[in-house]
Amino acid sequence: MKKDFLTLLEYTPDEIRAMLRLAAELKAGRGRTERRVLEGKTGVMIFEKPSLRTRISFEAAIHELGGHVVNLAAESVGMGTRESVEDVARNLERIVHLVVARTFAHDTITRLAASCKAPVINALTDLYHPCQAMAFGLTMQEARPGKKVNAVFVGDGNNVCASIMIICAKLGYNFTVASPAGYEPHAETAKICAGICAETGGRLDITNDLFEAVKNADVIYTDVWASMGQEAETQKRKAVFPPYQVNAGLIARAPKGVLVSHCLPARRGEEITCDVLDSPASLAYEEAENRLHAQKAIITHLFSREAI
Ligand code: CP
Ligand code: NVA
């Protein structure tokens, strides 16, 4: 039975920890320790939205695991327009072994996975970005090994926030979201995460009180104010989000030694200032590199699940 990687909710804390352990091993032994689980296999990538990190890290990951990758232009595939999402899946499964997709609607990737015999990996949708969350988890385990991390997300309760919320719940971390009113994470995902926290010992708080939120932070995370697909809301959001900028004033409210991260791309001077993003406290570029290692672990897990 094939398994997909769509939201992280479908994975147990033990499975996530095992993938993170493997990611750390693959990082330490890059070029020496990979199992070539994609030898003789082909992966396909379809991106409905722009990408730098996700596209290049998946391409490198598939190559380093012995596979070949084909990039299809989403406009030419036309999932749901040129033909149905299900028909795209039924054709791809006959030719390739792995599908990596970045879509607008989360429903598109859910339908793609449901109709495809090959594993499907979510490379970001409007609701989730689980690969980013895995890179965050790896980065935290490196920066604060063995610690129950207090993570604080500042800004839009969007796809990245949702996935960081999920991994924090799964790993038993404490997670606080500080968003402007009306931009909190989806209530449904928050409810699920609160339920997971009850089992893992994590804690989830959602607030509009920024300074209170960062009081005990080990790491402050942020993301753009207007995500891909929300360009029309840019001006409206620019009027709401400035008090939630991650800047030196906010860092001063957090404990000494607080770390900072961002999924990138950053809008420097909007959600985060240059001095903070470029400071020694910033893990954003380490986390970007960790996308590669985390995704190699995810693919290895999907293609050899009994091995870890
Ligand atoms: N963080 C991230 O997913 O970056 P890209 O949009 O450049 O892939
Ligand atoms: N929330 C951002 C993340 C980009 C990696 C977006 O969806 O555009």
Side-chain angles (χ1 to χ4, degrees):
M1 175 73 174
K2 69 113 182 195
K3 192 155 185 185
D4 303 303
F5 189 84
L6 298 183
T7 69
L8 263 191
L9 290 169
E10 65 275 39
Y11 287 87
T12 65
D14 282 349
E15 285 175 312
I16 292 170
R17 269 190 276 271
M19 285 190 273
L20 293 177
R21 259 197 315 275
L22 178 60
E25 285 164 23
L26 289 169
K27 184 174 183 177
R30 187 173 180 193
R32 290 180 285 109
T33 55
E34 294 85 358
R35 293 184 48 222
R36 292 177 64 87
V37 292
L38 294 181
E39 193 73 59
K41 294 188 163 61
T42 300
V44 65
M45 303 207 290
I46 308 174
F47 280 54
E48 290 182 345
K49 305 178 185 184
S51 170
L52 170 69
R53 281 146 291 270
T54 308
R55 193 181 274 278
I56 190 61
S57 55
F58 266 112
E59 183 140 356
I62 292 170
H63 170 71
E64 291 180 24
L65 296 176
H68 174 70
V69 67
V70 176
N71 280 285
L72 288 181
E75 322 75 86
S76 98
V77 177
M79 277 195 288
T81 51
R82 186 166 182 264
E83 58 190 312
S84 75
V85 175
E86 288 73 17
D87 274 350
V88 171
R90 288 181 197 117
N91 283 268
L92 290 178
E93 73 183 12
R94 288 179 174 257
I95 299 165
V96 301
H97 306 89
L98 171 67
V99 178
V100 177
R102 168 170 286 193
T103 62
F104 284 96
H106 185 72
D107 186 53
T108 305
I109 204 160
T110 307
R111 288 168 55 197
L112 192 65
S115 296
C116 187
K117 291 198 181 77
V120 175
I121 298 180
N122 178 355
L124 180 146
T125 65
D126 284 350
L127 294 189
Y128 301 107
H129 197 1
C131 294
Q132 190 74 48
M134 289 294 283
F136 169 77
L138 177 58
T139 310
M140 281 302 106
Q141 295 201 347
E142 292 168 344
R144 295 286 180 266
K147 188 171 190 306
K148 177 172 177 158
V149 171
N150 289 322
V152 179
F153 186 98
V154 174
D156 188 18
N158 58 15
N159 45 7
V160 170
C161 175
S163 290
I164 303 262
M165 179 162 74
I166 293 169
I167 199 163
C168 285
K170 294 274 183 180
L171 294 176
Y173 288 177
N174 298 326
F175 186 60
T176 305
V177 184
S179 304
Y183 294 93
E184 294 88 355
H186 281 125
E188 183 61 22
T189 311
K191 193 171 153 202
I192 294 168
C193 287
I196 298 168
C197 284
E199 289 169 20
T200 61
R203 213 188 61 223
L204 173 62
D205 292 301
I206 297 175
T207 176
N208 308 123
D209 187 340
L210 181 62
F211 295 147
E212 183 63 25
V214 300
K215 220 171 55 183
N216 297 312
D218 294 315
V219 58
I220 297 175
Y221 203 101
T222 192
D223 186 10
V224 291
W225 294 338
S227 286
M228 293 178 278
Q230 297 173 332
E231 290 77 8
E233 293 179 35
T234 303
Q235 289 314 319
K236 183 178 131 197
R237 286 167 174 262
K238 272 188 182 170
V240 175
F241 278 93
Y244 290 79
Q245 183 185 64
V246 176
N247 54 30
L250 183 66
I251 299 300
R253 301 279 190 145
K256 208 167 152 34
V258 68
L259 299 168
V260 175
S261 200
H262 190 306
C263 56
L264 305 175
R267 291 255 177 196
R268 288 168 170 262
E270 291 188 13
E271 75 276 2
I272 191 163
T273 54
C274 291
D275 56 332
V276 173
L277 185 59
D278 297 333
S279 74
S282 169
L283 298 174
Y285 301 98
E286 195 65 29
E287 184 173 317
E289 177 191 327
N290 283 343
R291 295 290 305 277
L292 170 70
H293 311 301
Q295 288 156 200
K296 283 167 73 177
I298 293 164
I299 295 169
T300 303
H301 183 69
L302 291 174
F303 281 82
S304 57
R305 280 193 291 136
E306 69 289 352
I308 56 174

